């Protein structure tokens, strides 16, 4: 067939506008010292994959593909990518999917948090390196959505989040179960010898009934809700389970929306504003969200120059009740939340407390999207403000000499009987010490003691693992003890529950007061007064520090060296210091 003359064959013609080197295939040319040649070469290579000039002249939409055999929480990535591509093509764009690191909680040694920042660097640099006018971020498992939002915030182009969606619930002997609150509950029963090895093996087959993310209000669900509250997903993008038609429709819609964002240059900084972060904090508090959500939100905000004021957050918590009745704070699962209308139902209840003018990825404000969502309907998963699950926000911020930089407790998942408590410290020096002694019959421990675990902070472990949910010592578990006050500089899974103080800042590996707690010291926790006090004098603590000085851990080489040299504390999101924005843009939430 004779070749038709095509002006778009000329180098430089594969952008949205032929002269514009900041769009389409002309973006970010590899450096050969001759831009015309660079584009000519790029065009030659991509045509090797069979693309036409017509396709290459469209807005280019990158799709960050985090599908991996090691990540069943992203097991629907192929179907999502197909639907995103359909949406992009229908809207006149050119989809280009590309791989990035994928991080799953159970397949990340030593801990997924150690790799979150690496994934954010990968995401940022691949967005920068490859030509794209907008990017669709496919994430779901705990660290992936924060890593992608951190990376995209730093890269600065239009970006939209697509959540993989929650797994379905399973059934064990007619009881509904789902990862991972029920994982912990059944494991605790097994440890307490309430169920046998055969039954725990049966449970193991039922906890994860399909691909998708954990089905309770753990970190993955929390980050899905936060992403929608930030305005970073299409409306209704947080709640559809992974294997549903609704999730696929969200994916198609996301692809189409990405093309509009590219054309309108709706860059991520226009969406991730102080108001958007404030809305996300409200939602975090009102859903009884994972404490990890706060660390991640702090890290994302830090990429744009916003610092989180923990005291202001605590004040916000006092006027933001928990409304969402999901495990571990309540009774339901994510699929129930979706059937109840998802985030629109929650945001409608929270409306008087929200910044409704915050812009979303649709180009409309949160308030406009809420209007468009309609009036709502009768359901029993999202409570009205007048009848909350818990009268205050899920997370309370504690202060005191044991945590000069603050600590947090998920009060909505704690035992009310232990929230005002003084007890004797039973100290574990690190995770290995805990593993060695916690189940020993020789351990000197009583139910009203306070378990203290050191060296599981950002540098200490390293990577701030989710080891803050210390198990109840076996001899107490056997005697029926279900909860104790537990304190550490680590994190805990959002699916966990109990009277657990986390994120003690600074961490013990930095030589902070937590490092000098000894067996037998008395510790006072008062959640009502937001107090965490080590009842030891300042003079004694100074003397202990002098007797046993502590140097922060170091490493010889590689990523571990970079991590230990640059990771920040929990109050700065555990991000690397050199990845945070160079200048301060504001404090969030703003004090009213
Ligand atoms: Fe992936 Fe829970 S392990 S969301």
């Amino acid at each position: 067939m004779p070749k038709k003359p095509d002006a778009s064959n000329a180098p430089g013609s594969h952008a949205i506008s032929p002269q514009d080197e900041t769009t389409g295939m002309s973006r970010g040319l590899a450096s050969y010292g001759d831009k015309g040649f660079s584009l000519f070469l790029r065009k030659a290579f991509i045509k090797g994959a069979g693309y036409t000039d017509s396709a290459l002249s469209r807005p280019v939409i990158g799709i960050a593909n985090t599908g991996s055999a090691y990540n069943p929480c992203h097991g629907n990535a192929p179907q999502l990518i197909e639907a995103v591509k359909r949406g992009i093509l229908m809207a006149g764009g050119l989809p280009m999917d590309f791989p990035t690191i994928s991080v799953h909680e159970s397949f990340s040694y030593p801990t997924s948090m150690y790799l979150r920042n690496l994934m954010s660097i990968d995401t940022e640099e691949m967005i920068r390196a490859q030509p794209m006018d907008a990017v669709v971020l496919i994430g779901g498992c705990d660290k992936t959505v924060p890593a992608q939002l951190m990376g995209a915030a730093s890269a600065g182009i239009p970006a939209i989040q697509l959540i993989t969606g929650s797994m379905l619930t399973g059934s064990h002997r007619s009881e509904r179960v789902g990862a991972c609150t029920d994982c912990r509950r059944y494991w605790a029963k097994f440890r307490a010898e309430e169920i046998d090895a055969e039954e725990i093996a049966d449970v193991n087959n039922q906890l994860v009934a399909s691909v998708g993310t954990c089905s309770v209000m753990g970190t993955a669900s929390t980050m899905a809700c936060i992403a929608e509250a930030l305005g970073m997903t299409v409306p209704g993008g947080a709640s559809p389970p992974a294997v549903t038609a609704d999730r696929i429709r969200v994916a198609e819609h996301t692809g189409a929306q990405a093309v509009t964002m590219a054309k309108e240059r709706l860059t991520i900084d226009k969406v991730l504003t102080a108001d958007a972060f404030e809305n996300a904090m409200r939602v975090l508090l009102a859903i009884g969200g994972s404490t990890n959500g706060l660390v991640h939100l702090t890290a994302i905000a830090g990429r744009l120059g916003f610092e989180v004021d923990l005291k202001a957050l605590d004040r916000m918590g006092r006027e933001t009740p928990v409304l969402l009745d999901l495990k571990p704070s309540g009774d339901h699962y994510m699929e129930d939340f979706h059937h109840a209308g998802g985030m629109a139902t929650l945001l409608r209840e929270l409306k008087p407390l929200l910044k409704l003018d915050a812009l979303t990825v649709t180009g409309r404000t949160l308030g406009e999207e809420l209007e468009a969502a309609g009036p709502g309907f009768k359901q029993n998963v999202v409570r009205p403000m007048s009848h909350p699950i818990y009268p205050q926000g899920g997370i309370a911020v504690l202060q005191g000499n044991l945590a000069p930089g603050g600590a947090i407790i998920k009060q909505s998942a704690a035992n009310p009987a232990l929230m005002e408590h003084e007890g004797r410290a039973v100290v574990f020096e690190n995770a290995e010490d805990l593993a060695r002694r916690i189940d020993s019959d020789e351990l000197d421990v009583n139910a009203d003691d306070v378990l203290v675990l050191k060296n599981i902070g950002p540098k200490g472990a390293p990577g701030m693992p989710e080891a803050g949910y210390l198990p109840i010592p076996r001899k107490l578990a056997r005697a029926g003890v279900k909860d104790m006050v537990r304190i550490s500089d680590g994190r805990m899974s959002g699916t966990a529950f109990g009277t657990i103080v986390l994120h003690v800042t600074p961490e013990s590996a930095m030589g902070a007061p937590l490092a000098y707690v000894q067996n037998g010291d008395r510790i006072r926790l008062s959640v009502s007064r937001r107090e965490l006090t080590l009842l030891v004098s300042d003079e004694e603590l100074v003397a202990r520090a002098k007797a046993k000085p502590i140097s922060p851990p170091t490493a010889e080489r590689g990523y571990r060296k970079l991590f230990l040299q640059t990771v920040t504390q929990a109050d700065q999101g555990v991000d690397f210091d050199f990845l945070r924005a160079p200048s301060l843009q504001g404090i969030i939430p703003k004090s009213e």
Side-chain angles (χ1 to χ4, degrees), residues 56 66 79 269 438 502 528:
L56 296 173
T66 51
Q79 293 78 35
D269 56 312
I438 189 76
L502 301 156
S528 67

Side-chain angles (χ1 to χ4, degrees), residues 71 73 103-106 140-142 167 179-180 212-214 220-221 495:
N71 195 344
C73 298
V103 178
H104 183 277
E105 290 303 291
S106 293
C141 196
D142 295 15
M167 63 185 66
C180 230
T213 57
C214 289
S221 303
T495 61

Side-chain angles (χ1 to χ4, degrees), residues 402-413:
L402 191 49
I408 59 172
I409 184 168
K410 188 170 182 179
Q411 54 179 343
S412 58

Side-chain angles (χ1 to χ4, degrees), residues 159 230-232 261 266-273 276 358-361:
L230 283 169
M232 284 301 301
M261 293 173 74
L266 182 54
T267 48
I268 193 166
D269 56 312
K270 295 176 184 141
V271 178
L272 293 183
T273 58
L359 198 63
T360 76
V361 287

Side-chain angles (χ1 to χ4, degrees), residues 245-266:
D246 277 349
R247 175 53 64 195
I248 299 296
R249 273 189 285 274
V250 165
E252 184 186 301
H253 186 184
T254 300
Q257 192 57 46
V259 178
T260 306
M261 293 173 74
K263 289 178 177 166
E264 294 177 358
R265 307 275 178 104
L266 182 54

Side-chain angles (χ1 to χ4, degrees), residues 159-173:
I160 185 167
Q161 185 77 55
L162 174 59
I163 302 296
T164 58
S166 60
M167 63 185 66
L168 300 180
T169 50
S171 173
H172 171 64
R173 300 182 184 175

